[in-house]
Amino acid sequence: MADQSEMMRRQRALADFGDFVLDHEDLDEILNEGCRLIAEALVADLAKVLEIERESNTALVRAGVGWRPGIVGHERFSLSERSSEAFAIERTEPVITNDIASEDRFEFPPFLREHGVIAIVNVPILLPGRRPWGVLQVDAREPREFDQASIEFLKTYSMVLGPVIDRILVAAEREQARSGLAAREERQTFLLALGDAMRAERGAREKVEVAARCLGERLSATRVLFAEFDEVNGIADIFGGWSADGLPAFPAVMRLEDHEGPIMDDLRAGRTVRIDDVRHLVDQPAFAAVAQVGVGALLSVPLLVDNKLLVNLSVHQKEARRWTDAEVALVQEVAERLWAEVVRARTEIALGASEERYRELFERIDQGFCIIEVIFDGDAAVDYRFLDVNPAFERRTGIADGKGRRMRDIAPEREQHWFDIYGEIALTGEPRRFEARADALGRWYSVYAFCVDEPEQRRVGILFEDIGERKRAEEALRESEERLRQFGEASQDVLWIRDAETMQWKYLTPAFEAIYGLSREEVLTGDNFRSWLELIVPEDRNMAVENIRRVRQGEPVTFEYRIRRPVDGGIRWLRNTDFPIAGEDGAVNFIGGIGSDITDSKRTQELLMRSEERLRSAVEVGRLGLWDWNVLSGEIHWSDEHFRMEGYAVGEVTPSYEAWAARIHPDDRPGAEAALHHAQETHEEFDHEFRTVHPDGSVRWLHGRGRFFYDESAQAIRMVGAMTDTTARREWEERQQVLVAELQHRTRNLMGVVRSMSDKTARASADLADFRSRFRDRLDALARVQGLLSRLNEHDRVSFDELIRTELTAMDGGSDRVTLDGPAGIRVRSSTVQTLAMALHELATNAVKYGALGQPQARLAVTWAFEPAGPDNKPWLHIDWRESGVEMHASGSRPTGTGQGRELIEHALPYQLRAKTSYTLGSDGVHCTISMPVSESTTEVSAHA
């Protein structure tokens, strides 16, 4: 924030400036003093005032302090879109650059860096009514951040400058208005004298030289040249001219290729070339060539015939010079008058040399030409008479035998403006080029009219051509553009055109606002290409830039991208179709584009994809084989699972009715085809189960369901359907049938076992309580065996290691007093499991009551072995039950048991199982061995259970 002394210094600067303004009227003095006071108040090295030159879109350093000679009053630079000055003028607010080296928004004139400028602040100068006039600029040679107080000071100073400049400009305009009449009178005097001087000379070259001398002396120029262009041979003939004393001679012939560039482009386009200081442009070859012949400032006026550059009149100044608008207008008028005199001189010379040659030229010229005598009523032109006409006159006007006739007689409805124009030319002697429509003749004309002969004769030469075709083309173009505009405004798609060089939009339709959520006014300000890119989501931005690059190189593209709408943050999908628009030279000048909002389409597509994914997942999870059959063409579509169900690799065959039928089991094919034809003929649903045979010989059961679709004549045209693999269900049903039969068989066996066990237990029991205990234990053992059997399918068997462990666990025989040793996986026949289990139960029960499982010091060892090829070459199981450490009863005494277990082992097992058994009561416990055949499905056993 500025301290008190700084504020006082700035207030003093404003006060001093106010005093200076009251005492001075010269604008340059006031602006230079203002720059000095500003630089002093802000302790800045450099300050300047820039004036906007709208015609050339440049800025002139009008005043300044601290700059090297040749800058103030001379330096100009472009107010392009990339200049900070243009940005400040457009925004009408200060623009600050703290360091131009790191500033990427703007481009800066070279002379700033040449002066070591680093920091800049621009404040627009506005005239009353907020009309931009220029820019107040303070420059620093070191990085500097201008504080708010400094900005406010400069804004105040700018607000003071605006009214001061406006007051001086208004005063100057008034003075100019007062002096304008005198200037016009002086100008007219000069032109009349010039006309007299040119007419006094007979030859064209002499006329050029006298006109060049008069013009050069009036403008205090250093050289005036008149050149004729020969585009075919690429040269310009310096037909004549004038040079100040001591100036080097100018080449008589100039090669056009040495000057190709902006100068020749402007001349060929009919634009006056106006250069105040050539030095600033010498980096371009065309301007360097001009500077090499001693030209510091240039004013060159072209004259075109049939839209082709024919001649030009150039005024040179050795030093830089600021050409005024009045000087430019004077040179333009002298050029036209001089060319008219040259044409007349050459015509007169041609006439003098050979009337025939003149007449041939007169008749051959493609443009219509006539000489008229204007007829006045007082000062008003009321008619004119055709004194002479060339043959093209009739073709261009449709007027036959016009020579000697009056226009009012030929076309009484002839518009008055034609008489007014020719009357003014006859009175003033000033030539005119114009385009106008002759309604009475129904034609458009491009006209060049000029005085001929003596002024008092009121004769006007008219060179004209019918431009009706061009006008009709222009009108058609306007109508086409109007149709395009209406189409663009009605279209829901965005239509646009960009400049291929700057990438800025030149045309943008209203649909942009609906899609992007921004007004066209907002988006077309500033660098709208960069603004558009910022609307694209970052993931799609590089892709969009790449596609635009391809279009700039001449390649049409179509691409899709997403934008984020600033107004609501919503994401929109767009599809752009961009195409190059080339000029006559083939270069891409513009880029056209059509942007379509495809957000709804994308959402629909996404929903469809999700639906298809869900269907595909359902088909895959449900393992459905789908088909879609075009009955008329025979074309069929199969899902991947359908291929696999038929035993084909996916894509292995072309789906067809024959491919389907070929894999059906021969026994099922007639029935499947009959069911299919029945469904087609009766309009009923196809529902049939059949077998397929795969190449590896495997058979699969399939269940197919489908329906036919018919046309208006009830002819089947399409069938869709699905198949499921029912092999597992079929196998399960068959297994259930086997299991039911097995259950019935086992139930009958079990009832027999229970009946036999009940009888034997009853005979061995002392009373009912003893029977209940014994019978319950044996039922439990039987139940354990049934539990093992119920977990098996028809192909499985109970293994012996599982059976012995189950029984001993039930008897709490799994302690460390029991040793089990033998191979695992020896499969016992289902028919023998119950009997063997009861024998093991009897051994375990006796061991608990009287033996190794009932005495803590005793031990039990059960070992078994597998003999793959035993008696009868069958697999056998050998079991050894050995108790040890058992305290046996005294000699002669016996256990109180019934002996049922021993009977089971010694008699039932050999009888029922063809087993070989032994049962011995030793001195320290029981020793029992059992050898029996086992299931032949036992092929492998492990070393230990």
Side-chain angles (χ1 to χ4, degrees):
M1 186 172 181
D3 57 23
Q4 190 67 25
S5 62
E6 289 179 346
M7 294 178 62
M8 291 298 295
R9 185 168 64 248
R10 294 170 182 175
Q11 291 177 1
R12 186 168 57 254
L14 287 169
D16 291 347
F17 181 67
D19 291 340
F20 189 87
V21 168
L22 293 175
D23 296 334
H24 294 78
E25 292 296 330
D26 185 272
L27 181 57
D28 290 327
E29 292 180 0
I30 291 173
L31 294 179
N32 280 305
E33 178 63 15
C35 290
R36 186 189 68 78
L37 291 172
I38 290 171
E40 184 179 280
L42 293 181
V43 193
D45 298 328
L46 304 164
K48 59 182 177 292
V49 172
L50 305 175
E51 180 185 357
I52 302 171
E53 295 183 332
R54 298 194 180 279
E55 290 185 359
S56 58
N57 194 34
T58 57
L60 168 68
V61 182
R62 181 69 182 266
V65 62
W67 304 96
R68 291 198 296 267
I71 298 299
V72 176
H74 300 284
E75 184 67 37
R76 286 180 172 83
F77 57 89
S78 172
L79 290 177
S80 67
E81 295 179 354
R82 294 274 292 164
S83 73
S84 62
E85 294 80 10
F87 190 73
I89 293 167
E90 181 182 359
R91 295 292 185 90
T92 65
E93 61 184 27
V95 174
I96 303 168
T97 299
N98 296 322
D99 189 346
I100 66 175
S102 60
E103 177 63 76
D104 58 2
R105 294 178 299 169
F106 310 119
E107 295 176 351
F108 300 94
F111 79 91
L112 294 181
R113 289 189 170 85
E114 293 170 1
H115 283 75
V117 173
I118 294 178
I120 300 175
V121 59
N122 296 284
V123 180
I125 300 173
L126 305 177
L127 302 181
R130 299 187 65 81
R131 293 173 295 143
W133 179 86
V135 177
L136 173 62
Q137 198 172 80
V138 177
D139 309 83
R141 288 193 172 102
E142 66 280 336
R144 176 173 179 175
E145 295 186 2
F146 293 93
D147 58 21
Q148 189 59 36
S150 299
I151 300 304
E152 293 300 327
F153 168 69
L154 289 173
K155 289 173 66 176
T156 302
Y157 220 106
S158 173
M159 292 172 64
V160 172
L161 277 174
V164 170
I165 294 170
D166 185 63
R167 175 178 62 80
I168 294 174
L169 292 177
V170 170
E173 289 175 359
R174 290 174 180 170
E175 177 60 28
Q176 185 177 4
R178 285 192 296 270
S179 61
L181 181 59
R184 284 195 296 274
E185 291 177 351
E186 181 183 357
R187 178 171 178 270
Q188 188 62 32
T189 300
F190 167 76
L191 290 174
L192 289 173
L194 176 64
D196 292 341
M198 288 191 295
R199 281 190 294 273
E201 301 294 338
R202 179 174 177 81
R205 184 176 298 277
E206 289 77 12
K207 290 178 181 289
V208 169
E209 289 176 354
V210 71
R213 177 180 58 78
C214 291
L215 182 60
E217 290 175 351
R218 177 172 177 80
L219 297 179
S220 300
T222 53
R223 184 188 290 124
V224 179
L225 298 176
F226 184 82
E228 290 188 283
F229 290 84
D230 181 356
E231 293 278 10
V232 175
N233 295 310
I235 61 173
D237 179 19
I238 309 303
F239 184 72
W242 168 86
S243 297
D245 293 340
L247 197 68
F250 200 83
V253 177
M254 181 179 68
R255 292 193 309 168
L256 297 184
E257 65 180 16
D258 294 337
H259 298 271
E260 289 293 347
I263 294 177
M264 290 304 302
D265 291 344
D266 283 343
L267 292 178
R268 290 188 178 107
R271 296 188 292 267
T272 296
V273 176
R274 179 178 179 177
I275 303 173
D276 294 345
D277 194 343
V278 176
R279 294 175 303 168
H280 297 312
L281 304 171
V282 294
D283 57 335
Q284 301 181 47
F287 295 106
V290 172
Q292 287 177 357
V293 292
V295 179
L298 172 66
L299 187 60
S300 186
V301 177
L303 292 177
L304 275 62
V305 175
D306 292 338
N307 293 320
K308 293 182 179 179
L309 178 62
L310 188 63
V311 299
N312 85 304
L313 180 64
S314 296
V315 181
H316 298 174
Q317 197 72 31
K318 186 175 181 181
E319 303 295 337
R321 172 176 179 167
R322 184 180 181 188
W323 304 103
T324 66
D325 293 342
E327 291 170 343
V328 173
L330 178 62
V331 175
Q332 289 173 336
E333 186 160 358
V334 170
E336 291 187 349
R337 291 191 178 206
L338 175 56
W339 175 238
E341 286 293 327
V342 169
V343 170
R344 188 173 69 171
R346 290 174 175 172
T347 302
E348 289 175 349
I349 291 173
L351 283 172
S354 171
E355 179 65 25
E356 184 62 29
R357 288 181 58 194
Y358 164 74
R359 181 53 55 186
E360 183 179 0
L361 174 65
F362 190 66
E363 292 177 353
R364 285 179 178 271
I365 189 171
D366 189 52
Q367 290 85 4
F369 181 75
C370 63
I371 298 175
I372 64 172
E373 177 187 8
V374 184
I375 301 172
F376 289 86
D377 182 3
D379 292 334
V382 295
D383 202 352
Y384 53 83
R385 178 185 294 107
F386 293 103
L387 301 179
D388 201 0
V389 298
N390 72 342
F393 175 88
E394 181 177 348
R395 296 196 303 271
R396 300 298 185 186
T397 64
I399 299 174
D401 301 325
K403 185 175 180 179
R405 299 172 64 188
R406 286 191 175 194
M407 191 66 203
R408 289 291 189 189
D409 295 335
I410 298 171
E413 304 300 323
R414 180 71 160 176
E415 298 83 356
Q416 181 60 38
H417 64 83
W418 292 96
F419 302 100
D420 295 339
I421 292 172
Y422 295 146
E424 181 181 354
I425 295 171
L427 291 175
T428 63
E430 297 181 1
R432 284 187 61 177
R433 290 182 184 274
F434 62 94
E435 293 181 356
R437 176 174 174 78
D439 291 332
L441 301 178
R443 299 172 184 246
W444 270 93
Y445 292 107
S446 173
V447 180
Y448 176 60
F450 51 90
C451 272
V452 297
D453 298 330
E454 298 301 323
E456 60 272 12
Q457 292 181 302
R458 303 293 190 255
R459 294 179 177 179
V460 176
I462 304 173
L463 185 67
F464 64 93
E465 61 179 326
D466 186 345
I467 59 172
E469 184 175 347
R470 174 166 66 85
K471 284 293 183 179
R472 286 189 291 273
E474 291 174 353
E475 180 62 25
L477 177 60
R478 281 192 294 271
E479 292 177 356
S480 176
E481 290 175 345
E482 176 61 20
R483 288 194 296 270
L484 175 61
R485 184 190 66 78
Q486 294 178 4
F487 174 76
E489 292 183 354
S491 174
Q492 295 182 351
D493 293 337
V494 182
L495 309 181
W496 53 265
I497 297 176
R498 289 188 188 277
D499 186 300
E501 180 66 26
T502 66
M503 293 307 297
Q504 301 305 296
W505 271 315
K506 298 299 182 183
Y507 174 73
L508 189 63
T509 59
F512 180 91
E513 300 179 354
I515 294 176
Y516 283 79
L518 289 173
S519 69
R520 286 182 292 175
E521 289 75 15
E522 288 180 90
V523 77
L524 290 175
T525 58
D527 187 346
N528 54 61
F529 180 67
R530 184 184 298 272
S531 302
W532 174 70
L533 287 178
E534 290 174 353
L535 295 174
I536 300 176
V537 300
E539 297 84 352
D540 297 349
R541 201 169 292 158
N542 289 338
M543 176 270 294
V545 170
E546 171 60 19
N547 278 281
I548 292 296
R549 182 193 65 79
R550 290 166 56 192
V551 181
R552 294 178 77 180
Q553 293 180 350
E555 177 185 355
V557 299
T558 298
F559 60 98
E560 296 178 358
Y561 60 97
R562 292 162 293 172
I563 64 162
R564 186 179 298 278
R565 289 163 48 99
V567 64
D568 54 16
I571 298 295
R572 309 295 294 178
W573 271 97
L574 276 76
R575 178 184 293 117
N576 264 25
T577 300
D578 296 354
F579 48 89
I581 302 175
E584 293 181 358
D585 59 354
V588 177
N589 296 332
F590 298 96
I591 297 175
I594 303 172
S596 303
D597 187 341
I598 58 171
T599 305
D600 292 341
S601 174
K602 280 289 185 179
R603 289 172 179 165
T604 302
Q605 182 180 354
E606 183 178 353
L607 291 175
L608 179 60
M609 290 175 61
R610 290 179 180 175
S611 175
E612 290 177 347
E613 179 61 28
R614 287 194 294 269
L615 176 59
R616 184 165 50 253
S617 298
V619 169
E620 291 176 356
V621 172
R623 303 184 72 83
L624 296 176
L626 306 180
W627 78 84
D628 189 341
W629 178 19
N630 185 327
V631 179
L632 298 180
S633 67
E635 181 181 0
I636 303 178
H637 170 74
W638 287 351
S639 67
D640 291 353
E641 188 64 23
H642 192 295
F643 278 96
R644 289 188 282 267
M645 285 181 175
E646 296 278 353
Y648 295 111
V650 176
E652 178 184 347
V653 296
T654 300
S656 64
Y657 179 93
E658 293 74 16
W660 168 73
R663 288 293 166 89
I664 300 178
H665 193 286
D667 296 341
D668 295 353
R669 188 179 302 161
E673 291 184 318
L676 184 69
H677 295 312
H678 177 76
Q680 179 177 352
E681 293 170 0
T682 62
H683 295 208
E684 295 178 357
E685 184 181 76
F686 171 73
D687 187 348
H688 191 70
E689 194 167 19
F690 52 90
R691 291 169 294 173
T692 59
V693 181
H694 288 196
D696 61 0
S698 61
V699 176
R700 308 295 295 179
W701 277 95
L702 302 179
H703 180 202
R705 297 188 64 177
R707 58 172 297 192
F708 283 93
F709 294 87
Y710 304 86
D711 61 13
E712 296 175 352
S713 62
Q715 180 182 3
I717 58 174
R718 182 185 180 197
M719 182 188 189
V720 294
M723 292 192 307
T724 56
D725 189 324
T726 59
T727 305
R729 178 178 62 80
R730 280 281 186 168
E731 291 176 348
W732 180 84
E733 290 174 350
E734 293 174 359
R735 179 185 173 195
Q736 288 301 104
Q737 293 175 0
V738 173
L739 288 177
V740 169
E742 177 68 17
L743 178 61
Q744 292 173 344
H745 172 71
R746 290 183 181 181
T747 300
R748 288 192 296 270
N749 288 344
L750 181 61
M751 294 302 296
V753 171
V754 171
R755 183 183 300 111
S756 173
M757 185 175 63
S758 174
D759 291 344
K760 291 180 180 181
T761 303
R763 288 194 302 269
S765 299
D767 53 27
L768 183 59
D770 185 27
F771 171 80
R772 181 186 300 111
S773 175
R774 292 173 181 271
F775 191 64
R776 182 181 294 116
D777 288 344
R778 288 167 179 160
L779 281 177
D780 289 343
L782 188 60
R784 285 192 293 273
V785 174
Q786 295 303 316
L788 291 175
L789 291 172
S790 67
R791 295 198 301 269
L792 305 177
N793 58 39
E794 67 274 18
H795 302 297
D796 292 337
R797 296 290 184 268
V798 176
S799 63
F800 174 75
D801 55 289
E802 185 178 10
L803 184 63
I804 188 64
R805 290 181 189 282
T806 299
E807 184 59 36
L808 291 178
T809 300
M811 295 294 176
D812 194 21
S815 66
D816 56 1
R817 291 184 287 115
V818 177
T819 300
L820 300 177
D821 186 22
I826 301 175
R827 307 174 73 182
V828 183
R829 295 174 180 171
S830 299
S831 59
T832 65
V833 169
Q834 291 180 152
T835 305
L836 178 61
M838 294 304 297
L840 294 175
H841 173 71
E842 292 299 332
L843 287 171
T845 299
N846 289 335
V848 170
K849 290 179 178 181
Y850 315 114
L853 298 182
Q855 298 179 18
Q857 80 285 353
R859 298 288 185 271
L860 169 62
V862 181
T863 60
W864 63 94
F866 176 68
E867 185 179 7
D872 299 328
N873 203 27
K874 302 289 185 181
W876 278 64
L877 169 66
H878 302 283
I879 305 168
D880 186 273
W881 177 290
R882 185 182 298 275
E883 299 180 24
S884 61
V886 177
E887 293 182 0
M888 303 298 289
H889 294 279
S891 178
S893 65
R894 289 288 183 269
T896 57
T898 63
Q900 183 178 351
R902 185 169 186 172
E903 180 183 355
L904 177 63
I905 294 169
E906 290 182 337
H907 300 288
L909 290 183
Y911 175 75
Q912 295 182 16
L913 308 184
R914 294 189 300 113
K916 298 177 181 180
T917 64
S918 68
Y919 188 91
T920 304
L921 288 173
S923 60
D924 59 351
V926 173
H927 179 214
C928 176
T929 63
I930 303 172
S931 295
M932 56 181 286
V934 294
S935 174
E936 294 184 7
S937 63
T938 302
T939 56
E940 294 183 3
V941 296
S942 61
H944 295 281

